[in-house]
């Protein structure tokens, strides 16, 4: 079926170019004239056939041309453009269309444009002359004209007063321009003008209606808010803002967090619901909102949440009803409900009611915070979470709930573990409801989080155990030091009387070397019990580790690679350099033993700010500035059970005879006595990382790091002999005897005393001061610090050397502040004793 339509006669102006050329017409006319003139030179007989042939040709051409026109094969030039369906659409378009050439000529304008512009002197007005008036209109048209000259696309909306056809007081127009390619590479601009007055009016009406709706919602007698899953309040109406004493203009959208107006545990509960995909859940809360001034506002919340197809929470739609005094409900009932809601939600104890199926009916905010978002069952989560699913000991809680459902009393409290990540400890009380509640409750469950209490209890028990072991180790070390002191002293005396070529010389050396090895074990015990003597210095740990690197490489061997990573601009610390080296060596040796097949040991240093220290959450470490030393290996790692015991003395995982179990306990004691903290992280099969945190030290002006500090103690003189009277106070007879022999052999006069009381008697009988007092610290009847106090009363300038198996700090607190004395830790060699005595007397 074919459709025919005549082109409507319109008033559009089309001055477009016509296709075709006059040359073809002149050529055809010349051929016809030439053929006619050539017939004059022929005879009639010869010309007649030619004339008939020419007439036949023209007749056939005419018939063919008429036939071609009838079927549309041939058309007159320009007819295609005028009858084309595209041009018909442009001519009858409701938008005003006008084509302007680069030289400013208008070559096309449709009927709608002529209705907008009209004719002036037979010419069509250009767009620039149509839109004149307000400056903003002229600026918009100028921008479009500039775009047309640059062959760009542009769109503007302008308000013209009056409208183009003067039909209205004003009109809104959308003006567009875009480039149009023309023949022979020329360009033109197509302008389109649409009247959008009605569209603008509809938008303004919708905006006004929206403003009215917002105004109604803002000033409704109830509060409205919307909370996103992240806890941000994305909408707050003016009524609720007024109740909470916030300026809505200043707060705006997203200016408040849910935690700003509700308690933190309630906020976490309101943003941690779970539900089926596509479901909607509504919860009711009676609680107190927090005003800007800190006061409370009792409210009831209807909290409605929709869940997406992925099960994720959407933004809430929450209705807030004011429960303050003065409402229409009964005042006594209202006050009782508010009071109960405050008790229920603000108590630190988690409370929930449970039905006969052991499912939660009601729960307060602390309960949700303690157990998290437990999954609900049933269609759209209609049934509450199952209480037994929250604990690892299902049988115990199920038995208690059954007893409560049977109205049995005196149900003993339960110590349970939650199934949540981390597995906290909880003490649970279950009591029967009595008469079944309106919602079918049969039991009330009270839960108290005891996780921190359990941790503190375990830490206290561990601390008490370690303190007891430390006291025992310290006491054993003190007594053992006296024994070693005698062995080492008499070995020195024997060595002094034997030549190296003497057969017994090597036996005596073995005795002394083993005594020194025993003294090393004693020092480890003292380090563990934190009773060793420290000589703290200002250190840069990068320099100390660099100096220690060669020793570490020899200890680790060829199969373990050492990687040192020094932190930039590392802060100073104040520590005993020898003890710090012992810590690093012990950790390195343990790491080597954990990598029998080889591996990598990495030692890293870094500064730790107070904020970073707080985020690290190292046990008992307060937020402050620290210098961290991290020692990590790629060895076999440790299980959590082993990590709990690694710092205990004599605990070792090595084979018998290959470890004393004092290495890590020594490390722990040294770090603690230096004021630092130690943390360990280990995974079986992946390696172990120890992190040591030493407090940052800011050196005073006169202090310098260890590597640039001048020598304080001069090298001992070659001559160890001396003169003077020395009072030697020692309760251990062998130790006193060997020390007295050594000092006497160097030329000193030695007065011996077995206790502090005996020493005072000697001084009083002498009636004059001695040159030096060498005294033990721990003695019966009168200890060393008490003896020093009595001697100072008689002779304030008396010189004193204390010797002890305990650390200097262990007895310094018993001396007056600022008291000056010299200290020599046991066990020591006789040479060390003679050198110290010589230096003190000479000074």
């Amino acid at each position: 079926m074919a459709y025919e339509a005549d082109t409507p006669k319109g008033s559009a102006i089309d001055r477009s170019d016509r296709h075709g050329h006059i040359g073809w017409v002149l050529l055809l006319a010349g051929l016809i004239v030439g053929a006619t003139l050539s017939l004059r030179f022929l005879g009639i007989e010869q010309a007649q056939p030619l004339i008939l042939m020419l007439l036949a040709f023209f007749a056939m051409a005419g018939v063919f041309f008429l036939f071609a026109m009838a079927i549309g094969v041939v058309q007159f030039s320009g007819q295609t453009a005028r009858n084309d369906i595209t041009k018909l659409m442009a001519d009858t378009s409701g938008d005003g269309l006008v084509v302007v050439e680069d030289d400013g000529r208008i070559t096309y304008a449709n009927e709608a444009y002529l209705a907008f512009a009209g004719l002036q002197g037979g010419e069509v007005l250009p767009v620039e002359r149509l839109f004149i008036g307000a400056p903003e209109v002229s600026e918009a048209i100028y921008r479009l004209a500039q775009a047309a000259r640059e062959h760009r696309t542009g769109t503007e909306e302008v308000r013209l007063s009056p409208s183009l056809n003067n039909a209205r007081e004003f009109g809104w127009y959308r003006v567009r321009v875009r480039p149009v390619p023309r023949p022979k590479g020329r360009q033109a601009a197509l302008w389109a003008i649409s009247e959008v007055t009605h569209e603008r009016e509809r938008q303004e009406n919708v905006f006004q209606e929206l403003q009215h709706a917002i105004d109604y919602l803002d000033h409704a007698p109830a509060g409205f808010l919307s909370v996103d899953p992240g806890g941000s309040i994305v909408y707050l109406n003016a009524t609720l803002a007024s109740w909470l004493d916030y300026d809505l203009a200043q707060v705006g959208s997203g200016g408040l967090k849910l935690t700003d107006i509700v308690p933190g545990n309630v906020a976490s509960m309101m943003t941690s619901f779970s539900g089926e995909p596509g479901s909607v859940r509504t919860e009711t809360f009676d609680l107190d909102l927090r005003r800007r001034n800190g006061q409370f506002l009792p409210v009831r919340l209807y909290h409605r949440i929709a869940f997406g197809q992925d099960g994720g929470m959407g933004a809430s739609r929450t209705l807030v009803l004011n429960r303050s005094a003065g409402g229409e409900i009964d005042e006594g009932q209202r006050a009782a409900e508010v009071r109960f809601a405050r008790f229920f939600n603000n108590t630190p104890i988690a409370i929930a009611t449970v039905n006969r199926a052991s499912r939660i009916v009601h729960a307060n905010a602390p309960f949700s915070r303690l157990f998290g978002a437990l999954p609900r069952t049933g269609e759209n989560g209609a049934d509450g979470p199952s209480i037994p699913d929250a604990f690892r000991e299902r049988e115990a809680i199920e038995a208690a709930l059954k007893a409560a459902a049977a109205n049995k009393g005196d149900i003993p409290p339960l110590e349970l573990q939650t199934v949540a990540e981390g597995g906290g400890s909880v003490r649970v009380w279950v009591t029967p409801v009595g008469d079944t509640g309106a919602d079918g409750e049969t039991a009330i469950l009270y839960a108290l989080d005891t996780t921190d209490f359990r941790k503190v209890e375990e830490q206290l028990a561990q601390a008490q155990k370690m303190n007891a072991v430390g006291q025992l180790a310290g006491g054993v070390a003190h007594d053992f030091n006296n024994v070693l002191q005698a062995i080492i002293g008499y070995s020195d005396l024997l060595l002094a009387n034997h030549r190296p070529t003497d057969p017994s010389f090597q036996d005596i050396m073995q005795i002394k070397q083993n005594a020194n090895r025993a003294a090393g074990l004693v020092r480890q015990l003292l380090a563990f019990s934190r009773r060793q003597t420290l000589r703290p210095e200002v250190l840069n740990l990068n320099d100390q580790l660099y100096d220690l690197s060669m020793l570490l490489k020899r200890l680790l061997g060829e199969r373990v690679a050492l990687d040192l990573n020094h932190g930039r601009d590392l802060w100073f610390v104040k520590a005993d350099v020898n003890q710090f080296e012992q810590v690093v060596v012990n950790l390195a040796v343990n790491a080597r033993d954990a990598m029998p097949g080889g591996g990598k040991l990495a030692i890293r240093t870094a500064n730790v700010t107070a904020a970073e220290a707080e985020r690290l959450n190292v046990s008992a470490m307060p937020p402050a500035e620290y210098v961290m030393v991290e020692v990590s290996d790629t060895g076999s790692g440790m299980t959590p059970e082993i990590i709990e015991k690694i710092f205990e003395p004599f605990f070792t995982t090595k084979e018998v005879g290959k470890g004393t179990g004092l290495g890590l306990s020594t490390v722990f004691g040294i770090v603690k006595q230096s004021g630092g903290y130690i943390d360990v992280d280990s995974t079986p099969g992946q390696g172990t990382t120890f992190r040591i945190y030493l407090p940052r030290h800011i050196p005073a002006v006169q202090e310098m790091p260890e590597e640039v500090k001048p020598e304080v103690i001069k090298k001992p003189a070659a001559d160890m002999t001396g003169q003077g009277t020395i009072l030697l106070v020692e309760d251990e007879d062998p130790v006193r005897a060997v020390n007295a022999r050594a000092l006497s052999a160097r030329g000193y006069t030695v007065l011996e005393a077995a206790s502090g009381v005996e020493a005072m008697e000697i001084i009083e009988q002498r009636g004059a001061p001695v040159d030096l007092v060498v005294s033990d610290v721990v003695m019966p009847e009168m200890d060393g610090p008490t003896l020093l106090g009595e001697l100072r009363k008689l002779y304030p300038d008396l010189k004193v050397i204390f010797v002890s198996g305990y650390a200097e700090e262990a007895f310094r607190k018993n001396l007056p502040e600022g008291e000056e004395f010299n200290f020599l830790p046991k066990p020591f060699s006789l040479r060390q004793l003679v050198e110290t005595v010589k230096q003190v007397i000479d000074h």
Side-chain angles (χ1 to χ4, degrees):
M1 182 181 292
Y3 294 92
E4 296 181 0
D6 296 332
T7 302
K9 183 179 180 181
S11 56
I13 297 176
D14 188 356
R15 298 169 181 169
S16 303
D17 294 338
R18 298 292 185 261
H19 298 287
H21 201 279
I22 191 65
W24 295 105
V25 178
L26 294 177
L27 177 62
L28 181 60
L31 291 174
I32 295 174
V33 172
T36 304
L37 293 176
S38 64
L39 294 176
R40 297 180 59 186
F41 300 99
L42 299 175
I44 295 175
E45 295 179 356
Q46 295 176 340
Q48 187 175 4
L50 293 175
I51 293 172
L52 291 175
M53 290 175 62
L54 185 62
L55 291 176
F57 171 76
F58 282 119
M60 291 178 63
V63 171
F64 175 77
F65 180 74
L66 292 175
F67 181 75
M69 284 188 62
I71 65 175
V73 174
V74 178
Q75 295 180 346
F76 289 106
S77 177
Q79 187 69 24
T80 302
R82 284 189 290 272
N83 291 337
D84 188 81
I85 189 63
T86 304
K87 184 177 183 300
L88 178 62
M89 293 170 59
D91 289 343
T92 60
S93 173
D95 296 342
L97 304 177
V98 59
V99 178
V100 182
E101 300 287 343
D102 280 345
D103 57 6
R105 290 185 305 110
I106 296 178
T107 57
Y108 176 79
N110 70 349
E111 300 174 19
Y113 184 80
L114 293 178
F116 285 141
L119 296 174
Q120 189 175 30
E123 293 295 329
V124 181
L125 292 176
V127 176
E128 291 89 334
R129 294 179 58 186
L130 284 182
F131 295 93
I132 56 176
E136 58 270 16
V137 175
S138 300
E139 292 174 3
I141 299 303
Y142 174 77
R143 289 193 294 269
L144 292 176
Q146 187 67 22
R149 286 189 288 271
E150 297 174 358
H151 306 133
R152 292 185 292 104
T153 300
T155 302
E156 299 280 350
E157 286 192 8
V158 296
R159 184 182 186 277
L160 200 61
S161 180
S163 63
L164 288 177
N165 50 15
N166 293 319
R168 296 185 179 87
E169 181 180 355
F170 67 90
W172 280 93
Y173 300 92
R174 184 179 295 119
V175 184
R176 301 185 296 273
V177 66
R178 66 179 179 87
V180 176
R182 302 287 289 135
K184 299 181 180 179
R186 292 180 294 143
Q187 289 283 344
L190 173 62
W191 293 76
I193 302 173
S194 306
E195 184 174 3
V196 293
T197 305
H198 295 298
E199 179 181 337
R200 281 282 187 165
E201 289 176 347
R202 285 195 300 272
Q203 290 177 354
E204 291 181 0
N205 291 336
V206 171
F207 180 75
Q208 290 296 330
E209 293 175 359
L210 181 60
Q211 285 295 105
H212 289 315
I214 293 175
D215 185 66
Y216 295 151
L217 185 61
D218 267 346
H219 298 91
F224 295 93
L225 77 154
S226 179
V227 183
D228 67 13
S232 296
I233 298 177
V234 296
Y235 174 75
L236 184 77
N237 75 335
T239 300
L240 183 56
S242 175
W243 290 350
L244 299 176
D245 196 24
Y246 283 100
D247 186 350
L248 195 58
Q250 294 181 356
V251 173
S253 298
L256 284 176
K257 296 285 188 180
L258 187 60
T259 52
D260 293 331
I261 63 173
V262 301
N265 52 1
V266 178
S268 62
M269 178 176 61
M270 294 175 64
T271 55
S272 60
F273 289 123
S274 60
E276 297 293 331
S279 65
V280 177
R281 179 175 174 181
T282 302
E283 297 287 342
T284 303
F285 301 100
D286 287 317
L287 49 83
D288 288 326
L289 297 184
R290 186 168 49 247
R291 291 189 173 101
R292 187 166 61 92
N293 58 8
Q295 297 179 351
F296 291 104
L297 173 72
V299 297
R300 172 169 291 175
L301 300 183
Y302 294 94
H303 191 59
R304 186 180 180 88
I305 301 171
F307 296 90
Q309 293 302 319
D310 59 350
M313 287 179 56
S316 74
R317 302 293 184 266
T318 306
L319 174 66
V320 184
L321 299 183
N322 194 335
R323 306 276 287 174
S324 300
E328 296 181 357
I329 63 173
D330 178 72
E331 177 61 23
Q333 178 185 351
R334 184 207 62 80
E337 291 177 351
V338 170
R339 188 161 52 249
F340 171 75
R342 287 176 176 170
F343 291 158
F344 189 64
N345 286 311
N346 296 330
T347 177
I349 299 177
I351 304 174
T353 58
V354 184
N355 62 16
R356 193 171 296 275
S358 299
R359 298 194 176 276
I360 298 173
V361 180
H362 297 291
N364 66 347
F367 190 91
S368 299
R369 178 181 58 83
L370 181 59
F371 294 99
L374 297 176
R376 302 169 75 91
T377 60
E379 187 177 357
N380 296 330
D383 295 335
S386 173
I387 276 291
D389 292 341
F391 301 101
R392 297 181 181 179
E393 302 85 353
R394 289 183 59 95
E395 296 79 4
I397 189 65
E398 286 176 348
L401 292 175
K402 289 180 180 178
N407 282 331
K408 295 181 180 179
D410 298 330
I411 302 174
L414 306 174
E415 299 292 339
L416 305 176
Q417 295 285 325
T418 63
V419 297
E421 186 176 356
S425 301
V426 182
R427 176 170 293 177
V428 178
W429 293 266
V430 179
T431 61
V433 171
D435 296 333
T436 302
D439 295 326
E441 301 103 324
T442 58
I444 303 175
L445 185 144
Y446 305 89
L448 184 63
D449 187 1
T450 58
T451 303
D452 293 339
F453 174 77
R454 291 290 184 189
K455 289 181 179 178
V456 171
E457 192 177 52
E458 292 174 0
Q459 291 174 356
L460 179 60
Q462 179 71 6
Q464 290 175 341
K465 181 179 71 173
M466 300 302 283
N467 186 50
V469 174
Q471 289 179 349
L472 175 62
V476 169
H478 173 264
D479 295 337
F480 200 51
N481 271 332
N482 285 328
V483 176
L484 293 175
Q485 181 63 58
I487 296 174
I488 293 173
Y490 283 109
S491 297
D492 286 339
L493 289 177
L494 290 173
L495 289 173
N497 296 323
H498 288 73
R499 296 179 180 181
T501 57
D502 194 321
S504 60
F505 185 86
Q506 293 298 325
D507 297 336
I508 300 171
M509 284 296 298
Q510 285 294 327
I511 294 173
K512 183 176 179 179
Q513 289 175 0
N514 282 279
N516 286 330
R517 286 183 59 193
L521 291 176
V522 172
R523 281 194 294 272
Q524 287 183 311
L525 287 174
L526 289 174
F528 161 71
S529 61
R530 306 177 210 173
R531 297 182 181 182
Q532 62 180 337
T533 300
L534 297 181
R535 294 288 183 261
E537 304 173 18
V538 179
L539 304 175
N540 185 310
L541 297 186
N542 283 344
D543 298 337
Q544 302 303 322
L545 288 173
Y546 179 79
D547 295 340
L548 196 61
S549 59
M550 295 304 298
L551 172 62
L552 292 177
K553 289 179 181 178
R554 287 196 298 268
L555 287 173
L556 295 175
E558 298 180 353
R559 306 183 69 178
V560 177
L562 176 63
D563 180 19
L564 287 178
N565 188 353
H566 299 307
R568 297 185 58 184
D569 301 324
L570 198 68
W571 295 328
F572 291 114
V573 299
K574 195 165 187 178
D576 188 310
V577 60
N578 295 322
Q579 299 299 329
F580 171 74
E581 291 177 352
Q582 184 179 355
V583 166
V584 176
V585 168
N586 282 351
L587 294 178
V589 170
N590 282 348
R592 179 201 63 190
D593 295 341
M595 298 181 287
K600 178 180 178 182
L601 176 67
I603 302 178
R604 182 174 70 92
T605 60
N607 295 329
V608 178
T609 64
E612 292 171 341
E614 187 173 11
R615 288 195 299 269
L616 291 173
N617 197 27
V618 177
S619 177
M621 186 174 78
E625 293 181 334
Y626 298 92
V627 176
M628 181 192 72
V629 180
E630 181 181 271
V631 181
S632 60
D633 62 61
T634 58
S636 56
M638 296 179 289
T639 63
E641 293 76 13
I642 294 178
I643 293 177
E644 293 179 357
K645 301 179 180 180
I646 57 175
F647 295 121
E648 296 183 6
F650 310 111
F651 173 80
T652 180
T653 57
K654 300 178 182 179
E655 298 177 6
V656 177
K658 293 188 176 181
T660 61
L662 289 174
L664 288 178
S665 62
T666 302
V667 169
F668 183 83
I670 293 173
V671 171
K672 287 297 183 181
Q673 193 172 359
S674 302
Y677 301 87
I678 187 168
D679 187 35
V680 59
D681 182 17
S682 184
T683 303
Q686 298 182 13
T688 303
T689 299
F690 286 90
R691 296 181 184 89
I692 298 169
Y693 302 91
L694 296 178
R696 178 188 182 184
H697 176 73
I698 301 177
V701 176
Q702 69 274 16
E703 289 183 303
M704 291 177 290
E706 182 270 338
E707 63 270 13
V708 297
K709 182 178 291 187
E711 283 286 322
V712 177
I713 301 176
K714 296 181 180 179
K715 291 184 179 180
D719 183 13
M720 293 299 166
T721 61
Q723 295 180 354
T725 302
I726 300 175
L727 175 60
L728 181 60
V729 187
E730 172 64 59
D731 61 327
E732 292 286 338
D733 295 337
V735 176
R736 185 177 68 253
V738 71
N739 291 343
R741 285 181 59 183
L743 292 173
S744 298
R746 297 304 189 275
Y748 297 103
T749 301
V750 180
L751 304 177
E752 299 183 37
S755 66
V757 175
E758 187 176 339
M760 286 301 300
E761 293 176 353
I762 293 174
I763 289 292
E764 290 173 355
Q765 291 175 2
R766 179 180 172 83
V770 294
D771 296 300
L772 177 66
V773 176
V774 180
S775 174
D776 194 7
V777 174
V778 179
M779 295 181 295
E781 298 185 64
M782 180 184 292
D783 60 8
T786 305
L787 173 62
L788 179 60
E790 296 297 325
L791 291 175
R792 284 282 188 255
K793 295 177 183 179
L794 300 175
Y795 307 107
D797 298 330
L798 193 63
K799 297 179 181 179
V800 176
I801 297 177
F802 278 126
V803 295
S804 177
Y806 287 121
E808 179 181 335
E809 290 76 8
F811 63 86
R812 179 182 285 275
K813 59 186 177 181
N814 297 326
L815 295 172
E817 186 175 356
E819 180 66 54
E820 294 184 0
F821 62 91
N822 297 276
F823 181 73
L824 188 61
K826 290 181 180 179
F828 49 82
S829 65
L830 296 182
R831 180 180 181 84
Q832 291 173 323
L833 173 64
V834 172
E835 288 178 352
T836 305
V837 168
K838 177 80 172 179
Q839 291 173 3
V840 172
I841 290 182
D842 289 347
H843 282 84

